[in-house]
Amino acid sequence: MKKTIAIIGSGFSSLAASCYLAQQGNTVTIYEKNETIGGRARQFKKEGFTFDMGPSWYWMPDVFERFFQDFNKNSSDYYELIKLNPAYRVYFGLNDFISIYDNLEEIKNTFEQIETGSGEKLQKFINHAKSNYDIAIKDLVYRPGVSALELITVQTAFKLNQFISTVSADIRKQFKNPKLIQILEFPVLFLGAKPTKTPSFYNFMNYADFGLGTWHPKTGMYDVVRGIEKLALELGVTITTNSPIEKIIVKDKKATGLLIDGKTIEADIILSGADYQHTETLLDIEHRAYSEKYWESRTFAPSSLLFFVGFNKKIANITHHSLFFDVDFNQHAADIYDDPKWPEQPLFYANFPSKTDLTAAPEGMESGFFLIPLAPGIQDNEQLREVYFEKIISRFEQLTDQQIKNSIIFKRSFCKNDFVDDYNAYKGNAYGMANTLLQTAFLRPKLKSKKVRNLYFTGQLTVPGPGVPPALISGKLAAELIQKSFSS
């Protein structure tokens, strides 16, 4: 039976869910609080420069393809992809960096030159990671997190120890060089937790990295947002911006609509892709499934301090994606998870999209995006932001052997307070809830409200977890659960 469905938020999970729900024949409307769609994947433009404000890594292209193929489409119908080579570069000191190329053979050669025997070990490690990837991406992550039985398949039962050991422990059993260890531990940071707290099973992220490669939509990640928006509109979805939700209306323990700008919007089904904790504050207390104590007890992925910078010249000695691991990785991780505070010496990430996309900056200039992972919930003010910009730009100049401060045309910062203001993100988190052992699959917040009928959730605080590909999957899972409720 055709239903009227109201979706809160327009991030990747909401956009994906809208497509599936419209495909089922429902009347679907997305309500977005901001002026533009995309959630954390919004775009920022200034003085001829263009920046993706959130996700900047395009990994797991097969998940994107699977999404579009569900509608008898291909990603190429909506945007063009470029495979990056090198995929990224990791800096450990002055004239001390490792470039990760776009194929496993070259990566193995790089490893072998650094640690004898590591090339062959890497091949075996990636073979295992691929096996886990096939289990995870073809099966496990497409399960709705309803029951522990979802984990008990022939494959996962045989590999149950992989939910007990950690990614870090497994890597360190095989590799000794600290630089290679850091490179192999890096991909799980996308899952929002320390490698020492991430179950071994998630080493499938290493296959996503070395096996599938790093891609870039021709004019940025917002190409993907526009692509899914176009598909949604083709399917009949309505998208309304500047529509912050004031309340979810509940009658007789059943969601019946939304209150927007003092007006009641009736709907048969409410699906929220907004921050889960914030969404529940739109309900009266008796209708909330998770208490403040629950959210306080969860391990959240980091927040971030971001800088969007326009330069009046081309920046040398740098690739599209660069990681700066020239300081103590473990200490920075401790400053995020163990004793939350601003790190004395932060690791950081730099992204120069104009190295690949000539439209990202005016001719002869460069657009730069810098990111420092931070603990969620910490103090945030302009003075601190400036202190840390000076820290990372000074190190950037030293490590890449060039002067760039005097070439800055403008910069814009974005940090914890902005994540709260713009996205209603709990404690200003940037990536949702971490995928630790006790926050995996059925142990994450549920897609379906436990207290209110016809109220559903999607996005990075529910299953399967943080990241753009999981967000697309989450949208599909929520839509399937809604469809199932119609027929039951």
Side-chain angles (χ1 to χ4, degrees):
M1 183 183 297
K2 186 176 181 179
K3 300 286 184 181
T4 299
I5 301 175
I7 300 179
I8 303 173
S10 65
F12 279 113
S13 60
S14 292
L15 288 171
S18 77
C19 293
Y20 288 108
L21 292 167
Q23 184 187 47
Q24 295 164 8
N26 301 297
T27 300
V28 181
T29 303
I30 291 174
Y31 297 94
E32 166 58 49
K33 74 181 285 287
N34 293 311
E35 291 183 4
T36 58
I37 68 166
R40 286 166 168 81
R42 289 185 301 161
Q43 193 178 63
F44 167 56
K45 292 187 175 186
K46 184 174 180 177
E47 297 180 26
F49 295 85
T50 302
F51 304 88
D52 287 313
M53 294 186 68
S56 58
W57 294 76
Y58 192 104
W59 275 9
M60 303 184 186
D62 53 321
V63 174
F64 292 86
E65 289 305 325
R66 181 167 173 176
F67 167 76
F68 284 106
Q69 286 168 8
D70 282 343
F71 304 93
N72 296 314
K73 303 285 187 178
N74 298 301
S75 67
S76 59
D77 295 327
Y78 296 94
Y79 54 88
E80 180 182 338
L81 285 175
I82 300 166
K83 193 173 188 184
L84 299 182
N85 190 27
Y88 55 91
R89 181 179 288 175
V90 186
Y91 288 81
F92 299 97
L94 179 61
N95 298 319
D96 182 8
F97 61 82
I98 296 173
S99 294
I100 300 299
Y101 292 96
D102 69 346
N103 65 89
L104 185 56
E105 286 305 312
E106 282 193 83
I107 299 170
K108 284 164 54 181
N109 290 338
T110 298
F111 270 51
E112 188 66 29
Q113 290 169 16
I114 296 169
E115 179 182 314
T116 302
S118 64
E120 183 178 346
K121 290 179 182 178
L122 180 62
Q123 181 67 66
K124 292 179 180 178
F125 185 81
I126 296 300
N127 288 345
H128 182 246
K130 182 182 185 302
S131 175
N132 280 355
Y133 188 89
D134 290 341
I135 295 169
I137 302 305
K138 294 178 182 176
D139 185 10
L140 184 60
V141 297
Y142 283 91
R143 299 187 177 205
V146 173
S147 163
L149 295 176
E150 293 175 10
L151 294 179
I152 309 303
T153 64
V154 173
Q155 299 100 321
T156 54
F158 180 72
K159 301 173 185 290
L160 206 56
N161 66 303
Q162 293 190 72
F163 290 95
I164 300 171
S165 184
T166 68
V167 166
S168 181
D170 288 358
I171 290 171
R172 289 162 192 271
K173 285 177 186 175
Q174 301 180 60
F175 302 92
K176 304 304 177 187
N177 185 279
K179 296 175 184 176
L180 300 185
I181 289 171
Q182 281 191 289
I183 289 172
L184 288 168
E185 288 182 340
F186 150 66
V188 301
L189 297 179
F190 285 108
L191 302 174
K194 293 195 294 186
T196 54
K197 297 292 185 181
T198 303
S200 299
F201 185 74
Y202 287 106
N203 74 5
F204 67 72
M205 292 296 292
N206 291 109
Y207 176 70
D209 181 2
F210 291 175
L212 297 175
T214 301
W215 301 76
H216 184 71
K218 187 175 180 180
T219 61
M221 287 294 288
Y222 205 68
D223 284 359
V224 187
V225 174
R226 288 195 197 95
I228 302 177
E229 175 194 29
K230 183 179 179 185
L231 173 62
L233 295 175
E234 290 169 351
L235 292 165
V237 175
T238 299
I239 301 175
T240 303
T241 56
N242 295 308
S243 300
I245 311 303
E246 297 167 27
K247 190 176 181 65
I248 296 173
I249 300 169
V250 178
K251 295 180 181 178
D252 299 324
K253 297 183 179 180
K254 178 180 178 182
T256 61
L258 300 173
L259 187 66
I260 303 175
D261 196 23
K263 299 177 182 177
T264 298
I265 307 295
E266 294 184 351
D268 300 312
I269 299 287
I270 304 296
L271 170 63
S272 179
D275 181 276
Y276 204 123
Q277 183 271 345
H278 167 73
T279 302
E280 288 217 311
T281 68
L282 301 174
L283 298 163
D284 292 332
I285 292 177
E286 65 268 24
H287 296 139
R288 299 173 191 173
Y290 301 98
S291 66
E292 184 62 26
K293 183 178 179 181
Y294 170 84
W295 295 114
E296 282 286 343
S297 71
R298 299 299 89 186
T299 300
F300 273 80
S303 185
S304 295
L305 171 55
L306 309 173
F307 294 101
F308 308 101
V309 187
F311 296 95
N312 65 10
K313 69 175 184 179
K314 286 295 184 183
I315 308 301
N317 308 327
I318 200 74
T319 58
H320 184 119
H321 295 296
S322 295
L323 304 165
F324 291 82
F325 285 0
D326 55 308
V327 297
D328 189 342
F329 178 98
N330 293 324
Q331 182 57 54
H332 189 160
D335 292 340
I336 294 174
Y337 297 103
D338 304 333
D339 180 21
K341 61 184 178 183
W342 283 80
E344 185 64 30
Q345 292 294 330
L347 287 80
F348 68 97
Y349 156 63
N351 170 21
F352 288 86
S354 47
K355 293 293 182 187
T356 304
D357 171 17
L358 298 181
T359 70
E363 187 176 356
M365 301 185 187
E366 208 88 86
S367 58
F369 167 111
F370 299 84
L371 181 152
I372 302 173
L374 296 173
I378 62 174
Q379 179 187 11
D380 172 25
N381 59 52
E382 288 300 325
Q383 184 177 1
L384 278 168
R385 297 184 189 193
E386 285 302 310
V387 167
Y388 277 80
F389 184 73
E390 180 62 30
K391 280 178 182 280
I392 64 171
I393 288 299
S394 294
R395 279 171 44 207
F396 181 93
E397 288 186 325
Q398 179 185 4
L399 295 171
T400 63
D401 194 24
Q402 63 190 313
Q403 297 294 314
I404 65 169
K405 292 178 188 176
N406 294 335
S407 297
I408 295 173
I409 300 173
F410 70 85
K411 75 173 186 293
R412 174 186 177 184
S413 65
F414 195 96
C415 197
K416 186 217 66 174
N417 291 347
D418 301 299
F419 281 100
V420 173
D421 292 342
D422 286 9
Y423 311 128
N424 296 309
Y426 183 69
K427 291 186 176 181
N429 79 82
Y431 307 106
M433 188 183 290
N435 269 336
T436 61
L437 176 60
L438 297 179
Q439 295 179 177
T440 290
F442 69 98
L443 296 173
R444 297 180 71 81
K446 303 301 182 186
L447 291 165
K448 184 177 182 179
S449 173
K450 295 186 287 186
K451 290 196 172 183
V452 178
R453 286 175 291 140
N454 294 355
L455 175 60
Y456 295 81
F457 300 84
T458 187
Q460 56 190 10
L461 266 69
T462 182
V463 293
V468 178
L472 296 178
I473 295 168
S474 186
K476 178 175 183 173
L477 294 175
E480 289 176 342
L481 212 55
I482 291 169
Q483 180 67 11
K484 186 177 179 181
S485 73
F486 294 171
S487 55
S488 60

